[in-house]
Amino acid sequence: MGFEGIGASVRRKEDVRFLSGKGNYTDDINRPGQLHAYIRRADRPHARIDAIDTAAAAKAPGVVRVFTGADIAAENIGGIPCGWQIHNKDGSPMAEPMHPVLAVGKVRHVGDPVAVVIADSRQAAKNAAELIEIDYTDLPAVANLTDAVAPGAPEVHDGVKGNLCYDWVIGDKAVVDGVFANAHRVVKLELTNNRLIPNAMEPRAAIGDFDTSSGDYTLYTTSQNPHVIRLLMGAFVLHIPENKLRVVAPDVGGGFGSKIYHYAEEAIVTWAAGRVRRPVKWTAERSESFMSDAHGRDHVSTAEMAIDKDGVFLGLRITTLANMGAYLSTFAPAVPTYLYATLLAGVYKTPVIYCNVKAVFTNTVPVDAYRGAGRPEATYLLERLVDAIAYDTAIDKIELRRRNFIPADAFPYQTPVALQYDSGDYQTTLKVALQNAGWESFEGRRAEAKRRGKLRGIGISTYLEACGIAPSAVVGSLGARAGLYEVANIRVHPTGSVTVFTGTHSHGQGHETTLAQLVVDQLGVPLDQVEVVHGDTAKIPFGMGTYGSRSLAVGGSAMVKAMDKIIAKGKKIAAHLLEASVQDIEFKDNTFTVAGTDRSKTLTDVSLAAYVPHNYPIEELEPGLDETAFYDPKNFTFPGGCHIAEVEIDPETGVVDMVNFTAVDDVGRVVNPMIVEGQVQGGVAQGIGQALFESAIYDPEGQLLSGSFMDYTMPRANDIPPLSVATENTMCTHNPLGSKGCGEVGAIGSPPAVINAVVDALKDYGVRHLEMPATAAKIWSIIQSAQPRLAAE
Amino acid sequence: MYDFAYEKPGSLADAVKVLSADPDAKALAGGQTFIPVLKQRLNRPSTVVDLAKLGLTGITVSGDTVTIGAMTTHATIAANPDIKSKIPGLQHQASLIGDEAVRHRGTIGGSLANNDPAACYPSAVLALGGTIKTDRRSIPAEEFFQGMFTTALEPGEIITSVELPIPQKSAYEKFRNPASRYAIVGVFVAKFPSGVRLAITGAGQGGVFRHAEFEKALSANFAPEAIAGIATPADGLNGDIHASPEYRAHLIGVVSKRAVAKAA
């Protein structure tokens, strides 16, 4: 056994299970007497339901029951709740229309669930679902933001005027307008953040189980946060108290945000299981995933920066339209506000910022947080705008960034958009990234590529994000309807092995390894004697789950607190065993020692005494060695860094080839460098996907054109170049680990670096900006319509 | 998929009999298009007739012709040394179809019978002037491909093999749809003593087609420059979310030049 503690690249404990096909995913679970659900979904974006005839379906072979929205509406069942309330600039609350579990009266997007068939096989349920006759009257639909806010646009929800969910602002418009009026120059950029479909490898699935003897419900589901699902579904939808509802999220194959939210299918199978008194399973087909998993991004923005003659940023003014889709998903309203506009200072000391966000309903799948959630949108906008300033002013893009960076000695740094950054060193991550990427020698590579007939470009992004979400009181004041602390229960067993019960959830991140390494570090227990348990409300005291790169910074900190309690209690037990004063007991390397002596007891000696309390201070101390801690973070954490992309474009076809990618990130303390590298690689691959390939395309009437992998371009392994990933870390100052988070940095920092490289490659064609994704067809048409500036030379 | 009956006849005659007797029966070759179609419930056959036991596999070379059994997989074609030496364009083409799993199941006969307008093989068979052999007749490529997903095959008719004349030179170049990896434009060029034939897949609304102007120019001078100045009109070309007709028209020129450069 080598070094296994904090800083060791130990192999992932969970990978043997996953790589040998022994993972236990929701669809792998089968309960005795289990039935299957198939959901009949809307095939049209907006329609009135005039009648639903389920008679033929109910009589079809194998069918047990058919339920429609009317059946659900007849019971004491609520709509799918939204977890965050945003207020309009006039102080009134956002529009929050009912989101029924099964459609009532109207369908509002392709994929909206209308009816469910419960049958003894998937095949029987699907066959019967086709026999349901639905009479629709089609209604006019809106799919994109500009159509939805146009005067006279069809209303997605009756009474939600202009399809406006909210009209929110941050910053003082009058002050910012004043700065703009007196500025040397204003640089403006209009840009779109393309809509994405998450496409986790494992489609969503859910099994509802009802214990006819106890009346207890169990939901097995593909969730990033089972306690949140229990809370949302139990308290707001089905009205089942926590003591009668268990939610299990077993192995989950990727989430990227899309498995945070409470989805209708979870409520459907749980409720139906109680009605038919048998377990009910639903597993999404891939085409259902495309039209029912919450999508990501989808912003249209206008950004303006006021600058002085040296390119120093004086003020930032932004208006953004954000697509909510047809209904409000769990975190949706928070994404384009508190996870987006509060990040608009970025790494720059822009003194005043104003941002207006209008969130808009459309006849599309709900949009919610997707890897990065708001921060990629802010970073893309800011880093494209900075490059546009460099383009317009001819100031070197590196120099421009350096001039505006928040200096390393300015922390803690209060931004004009609410956040207070605790630490960072942007000059250093920039410097190292420039070295690692060979920035200085780029022009030689450009010239060499030109001799081969290729257009080579280099692009940079210096970014910052806020994660480790979040101080409960702060998010509560901003409209969150939940706390965002984390919970850990550390159980030292009688013979000294340890089980960690964490409220975070691993769906690819490697928590079974990383979190175990914290125990190795703090308690000195070998890695193979540490088990990490997550994903079961019957086992874990409580937890808010995994998203926003919070598991280590928040969940890991809760573990540190719980282990502090273990050590404190252990010292008392050791003091008793060693007949010493508790103040004299030191704990190090799995051993309690009387200071300055060789008298000691191992953690195992102590745990055995705790569980077999024959010689034990039983009057003062309870038996057992099992401690729980709730950790509520004091602040967000602020990872940041520099990403540099290098591309080559074939001018004959427009094809972009990613040739080099360099990431230097500041993620705070690194527990497992190998896992961090993997997290950054995965995030960068998703960022390259957004920048070059991926786009959820609706036609103007609301049909999803990119509704399968035949038309939705996922990045392939051979689309991603070898990635140079490094870290240059400053420590988070307010959590006990110093860790900031690494799960999203790749997806946040990379898209603007890639687009900046594409724009740089096309500089001879007078290109100042292009929208993501930079597909070959798009670049070819840009080349066609632009005369090379240098053509005459 | 919907329920269906399944039959796996042991002779061509039996297979033809089953398929001819029931208009709703469908033949299954490698299934790499057909099974996804079934899973999406876009087709509802009464019986699926599996052609795997008809002995229709194998590659033979005799004189100036390569004959490929209809049930020969893409992987077999891509790995065959005779194909590689006689028709390198076809070997390369087969190696580009789908992914490894698709290439080990998918067959040339199944692909030709389906005649997907973005499939690769129709371009090779048309450019090479091949002949499709069936249980009852021989069909020249020019007559076989009759538009998108449409062929000269009669109900119940089964492709048994395809005969391909060996060219002096051949090459295939494919510009892939970034999502599906089918051809947005695929160009197969073949040089024979009698002249050059060039066929394009992926681009045409009517499926695979030959490019007469390119062929004329290349027959006079088999070099990329020969077609550099010839514009292809966008009329009749496909447009979708990945490529407009104009982009495809442009790509036909670029991809054809690259195919010629590779073959020459």
Side-chain angles (χ1 to χ4, degrees):
Chain A
M1 174 189 91
F3 174 55
E4 298 174 331
I6 291 178
S9 284
V10 296
R11 288 195 178 182
R12 302 196 338 159
K13 294 174 66 149
E14 48 269 77
D15 279 350
V16 172
R17 177 167 96 248
F18 293 147
L19 297 176
S20 59
K22 295 191 175 73
N24 185 39
Y25 297 89
T26 300
D27 191 58
D28 294 326
I29 296 169
N30 291 295
R31 304 295 300 158
Q34 175 179 286
L35 299 169
H36 296 263
Y38 187 84
I39 293 168
R40 175 75 182 267
R41 297 178 184 277
D43 59 356
R44 59 203 67 211
H46 198 194
R48 195 172 67 232
I49 302 171
D50 297 321
I52 303 179
D53 182 351
T54 61
K59 283 185 288 195
V63 172
V64 174
R65 286 294 296 271
V66 181
F67 296 112
T68 66
D71 297 313
I72 296 216
E75 304 224 355
N76 178 27
I77 290 175
I80 306 283
C82 178
W84 205 301
Q85 186 181 51
I86 298 295
H87 286 80
N88 293 304
K89 59 187 178 189
D90 65 7
S92 60
M94 68 185 186
E96 197 172 352
M98 173 74 170
H99 180 182
V101 172
L102 289 172
V104 176
K106 280 183 184 178
V107 295
R108 292 186 178 85
H109 68 86
V110 172
D112 209 355
V114 179
V116 59
V117 179
I118 314 291
D120 57 17
S121 71
R122 280 180 57 78
Q123 179 81 353
K126 189 168 181 175
N127 288 343
E130 292 184 359
L131 303 176
I132 297 171
E133 286 183 26
I134 307 170
D135 292 340
Y136 287 115
T137 300
D138 286 318
L139 299 169
V142 282
N144 68 57
L145 285 164
T146 40
D147 289 351
V149 296
E155 283 183 2
V156 178
H157 294 277
D158 295 339
V160 178
K161 296 291 172 209
N163 294 310
L164 194 62
C165 173
Y166 56 74
D167 181 0
W168 175 89
V169 297
I170 191 168
D172 188 326
K173 186 168 191 300
V175 169
V176 174
D177 286 349
V179 168
F180 272 73
N182 296 309
H184 168 74
R185 185 167 183 174
V186 173
V187 174
K188 182 176 176 181
L189 188 65
E190 292 181 350
L191 70 182
T192 297
N193 205 286
N194 45 326
R195 183 182 182 113
L196 303 177
I197 299 176
N199 288 318
M201 192 181 289
E202 179 205 22
R204 287 189 299 114
I207 306 168
D209 201 350
F210 179 70
D211 185 325
T212 53
S213 62
S214 66
D216 291 354
Y217 290 86
T218 301
L219 168 68
Y220 302 86
T221 183
T222 48
S223 175
Q224 302 177 212
N225 33 233
H227 287 87
V228 175
I229 301 306
R230 187 181 64 171
L231 180 66
L232 292 172
M233 186 178 81
F236 298 100
V237 185
L238 300 183
H239 305 113
I240 304 169
E242 282 96 333
N243 63 311
K244 303 302 275 182
L245 175 59
R246 174 185 175 197
V247 177
V248 182
D251 284 333
V252 174
F256 315 111
S258 71
K259 293 173 183 167
I260 297 172
Y261 325 116
H262 175 41
Y263 286 97
E265 295 86 357
E266 294 168 322
I268 290 169
V269 296
T270 307
W271 173 75
R275 289 295 304 270
V276 302
R277 302 174 80 79
R278 286 171 68 180
V280 176
K281 177 191 262 188
W282 168 81
T283 302
E285 298 181 352
R286 180 59 68 177
S287 53
E288 284 185 283
S289 302
F290 274 90
M291 60 174 131
S292 71
D293 292 3
H295 291 181
R297 317 282 192 256
D298 204 345
H299 286 194
V300 174
S301 296
T302 301
E304 297 171 283
M305 187 77 87
I307 56 173
D308 75 7
K309 62 180 174 27
D310 298 319
V312 171
F313 305 162
L314 303 175
L316 180 61
R317 189 165 61 189
I318 290 162
T319 58
T320 292
L321 294 176
N323 200 335
M324 294 285 104
Y327 305 101
L328 292 178
S329 178
T330 306
F331 277 163
V335 176
T337 48
Y338 295 110
L339 297 177
Y340 163 73
T342 55
L343 268 295
L344 289 168
V347 292
Y348 308 111
K349 51 192 183 193
T350 314
V352 294
I353 296 173
Y354 170 80
C355 180
N356 171 221
V357 179
K358 290 188 174 77
V360 178
F361 290 109
T362 59
N363 293 109
T364 64
V365 175
V367 179
D368 206 328
Y370 169 70
R371 201 169 192 170
R375 292 151 289 164
E377 295 90 319
T379 302
Y380 180 69
L381 177 145
L382 205 50
E383 290 303 295
R384 280 298 305 126
L385 182 60
V386 171
D387 259 35
I389 295 166
Y391 185 96
D392 289 1
T393 62
I395 299 172
D396 177 77
K397 59 187 83 164
I398 304 297
E399 175 56 27
L400 181 65
R401 286 175 165 85
R402 283 194 175 122
R403 260 178 222 175
N404 286 285
F405 274 166
I406 298 161
D409 62 4
F411 297 95
Y413 178 82
Q414 179 62 51
T415 74
V417 273
L419 298 177
Q420 190 186 75
Y421 304 162
D422 63 334
S423 65
D425 183 352
Y426 313 128
Q427 297 283 3
T428 297
T429 45
L430 171 65
K431 186 182 80 183
V432 176
L434 292 174
Q435 283 165 3
N436 292 0
W439 184 276
E440 292 304 322
S441 55
F442 171 74
E443 288 306 327
R445 298 195 292 283
R446 194 200 301 268
E448 186 277 330
K450 192 172 183 182
R451 288 194 289 276
R452 289 184 282 112
K454 297 289 173 66
L455 307 169
R456 192 155 174 140
I458 194 164
I460 189 165
S461 143
T462 49
Y463 77 95
L464 168 139
E465 61 136 331
C467 60
I469 184 168
S472 295
V474 173
V475 295
S477 73
L478 301 179
R481 287 164 167 161
L484 285 166
Y485 49 83
E486 200 42 76
V487 186
N489 170 221
I490 305 285
R491 185 169 300 164
V492 182
H493 300 292
T495 62
S497 63
V498 173
T499 301
V500 177
F501 298 88
T502 174
T504 66
H505 185 280
S506 186
H507 29 282
Q509 294 88 343
H511 291 177
E512 289 170 52
T513 308
T514 303
L515 298 185
Q517 286 179 264
L518 301 185
V519 179
V520 174
D521 182 80
Q522 198 169 347
L523 298 184
V525 177
L527 194 69
D528 64 0
Q529 291 182 34
V530 182
E531 213 59 39
V532 175
V533 176
H534 60 79
D536 187 342
T537 61
K539 295 178 181 169
I540 319 296
F542 203 76
M544 296 308 296
T546 287
Y547 40 82
S549 307
R550 69 192 301 274
S551 299
L552 187 59
V554 190
S557 295
M559 284 178 61
V560 170
K561 271 188 73 179
M563 287 189 284
D564 286 344
K565 293 184 187 179
I566 293 282
I567 292 168
K569 184 172 180 182
K571 282 182 176 175
K572 291 180 186 169
I573 301 168
H576 176 85
L577 296 175
L578 294 164
E579 297 178 336
S581 164
V582 71
Q583 288 78 21
D584 293 337
I585 304 293
E586 296 172 344
F587 180 73
K588 196 185 172 205
D589 298 337
N590 198 240
T591 304
F592 296 90
T593 307
V594 181
T597 75
D598 59 358
R599 293 165 55 220
S600 66
K601 291 286 180 188
T602 64
L603 180 63
T604 303
D605 297 332
V606 166
S607 61
L608 200 59
Y611 288 96
V612 187
H614 297 162
N615 174 19
Y616 194 80
I618 201 78
E619 296 295 329
E620 304 144 36
L621 216 52
E622 296 170 10
L625 200 53
D626 184 330
E627 297 288 349
T628 297
F630 283 56
Y631 176 79
D632 202 83
K634 298 184 184 75
N635 192 356
F636 293 82
T637 62
F638 299 97
C642 178
H643 289 186
I644 296 175
E646 216 167 307
V647 301
E648 274 190 14
I649 294 173
D650 175 353
E652 280 196 313
T653 60
V655 170
V656 180
D657 189 12
M658 280 295 308
V659 287
N660 284 322
F661 195 95
T662 305
V664 177
D665 300 300
D666 174 357
V667 299
R669 178 156 347 264
V670 171
V671 173
N672 185 316
M674 178 195 73
I675 288 179
V676 168
E677 184 177 1
Q679 285 286 307
V680 175
Q681 287 171 339
V684 169
Q686 277 174 298
I688 291 172
Q690 170 162 30
L692 296 183
F693 304 110
E694 298 182 49
S695 193
I697 300 172
Y698 280 93
D699 72 10
E701 286 74 43
Q703 284 289 347
L704 181 60
L705 300 179
S706 55
S708 80
F709 289 133
M710 292 294 280
D711 283 306
Y712 187 87
T713 309
M714 292 295 281
R716 275 32 173 220
N718 63 355
D719 295 320
I720 310 299
L723 306 174
S724 163
V725 175
T727 58
E728 284 292 329
N729 298 309
T730 61
M731 295 302 117
C732 169
T733 61
H734 57 79
N735 71 40
L737 287 166
S739 297
K740 298 183 178 180
C742 68
E744 296 160 298
V745 293
I748 292 168
S750 59
V754 175
I755 295 299
N756 287 347
V758 171
V759 170
D760 182 58
L762 296 173
K763 65 178 189 168
D764 290 349
Y765 293 85
V767 174
R768 180 175 179 265
H769 177 67
L770 60 84
E771 302 289 6
M772 299 188 287
T775 62
K778 187 181 290 177
I779 290 177
W780 175 76
S781 65
I782 287 169
I783 288 175
Q784 285 305 108
S785 59
Q787 287 298 316
R789 271 195 257 164
L790 302 181
E793 292 181 10
Chain B
M1 53 184 76
Y2 296 108
D3 291 346
F4 51 80
Y6 173 81
E7 292 204 31
K8 195 172 186 179
S11 76
L12 187 59
D14 285 348
V16 170
K17 203 166 120 191
V18 176
L19 286 166
S20 302
D22 179 356
D24 293 327
K26 290 274 184 191
L28 170 69
Q32 297 308 290
T33 299
F34 187 41
I35 288 176
V37 163
L38 291 178
K39 287 171 79 171
Q40 291 174 74
R41 299 191 162 205
L42 298 173
N43 200 307
R44 191 169 197 164
S46 55
T47 302
V48 169
V49 183
D50 190 337
L51 308 183
K53 269 173 63 181
L54 306 184
L56 299 179
T57 58
I59 296 166
T60 55
V61 180
S62 83
D64 56 2
T65 304
V66 171
T67 302
I68 304 175
M71 290 293 284
T72 307
T73 65
H74 317 326
T76 302
I77 293 169
N80 184 275
D82 287 335
I83 302 275
K84 188 166 187 178
S85 65
K86 305 293 184 193
I87 318 180
L90 180 63
Q91 184 273 332
H92 180 59
Q93 180 177 69
S95 77
L96 298 176
I97 298 172
D99 57 19
E100 198 73 23
V102 167
R103 289 194 290 275
H104 276 83
R105 292 294 308 173
T107 67
I108 189 168
S111 174
L112 294 174
N114 189 46
N115 195 19
D116 188 310
C120 291
Y121 284 135
S123 65
V125 173
L126 184 59
L128 292 165
T131 302
I132 285 89
K133 309 280 254 187
T134 75
D135 60 276
R136 63 200 69 167
R137 59 182 170 147
S138 296
I139 312 172
E142 270 81 359
E143 296 167 24
F144 181 81
F145 301 110
Q146 298 195 344
M148 202 174 275
F149 297 107
T150 309
T151 68
L153 292 172
E154 296 165 354
E157 187 171 11
I158 295 172
I159 301 174
T160 55
S161 67
V162 54
E163 279 182 7
L164 301 170
I166 297 170
Q168 294 166 300
K169 290 174 177 174
S170 69
Y172 180 66
E173 275 286 298
K174 178 179 181 180
F175 190 90
R176 287 178 167 91
N177 177 313
S180 71
R181 307 287 164 122
Y182 275 78
I184 278 183
V185 171
V187 174
F188 198 101
V189 62
K191 182 175 188 292
F192 291 94
S194 56
V196 172
R197 293 169 64 104
L198 183 147
I200 295 159
T201 189
Q205 287 175 4
V208 66
F209 64 94
R210 288 171 64 187
H211 199 302
E213 276 190 89
F214 282 5
E215 290 185 353
K216 189 176 165 201
L218 291 168
S219 295
N221 173 21
F222 193 62
E225 311 83 78
I227 55 174
I230 304 174
T232 303
D235 301 342
L237 299 184
N238 285 325
D240 54 35
I241 60 174
H242 300 286
S244 64
E246 293 72 24
Y247 185 44
R248 280 187 164 86
H250 168 77
L251 287 174
I252 285 171
V254 174
V255 177
S256 295
K257 278 192 288 180
R258 292 180 182 181
V260 172
K262 183 183 269 182

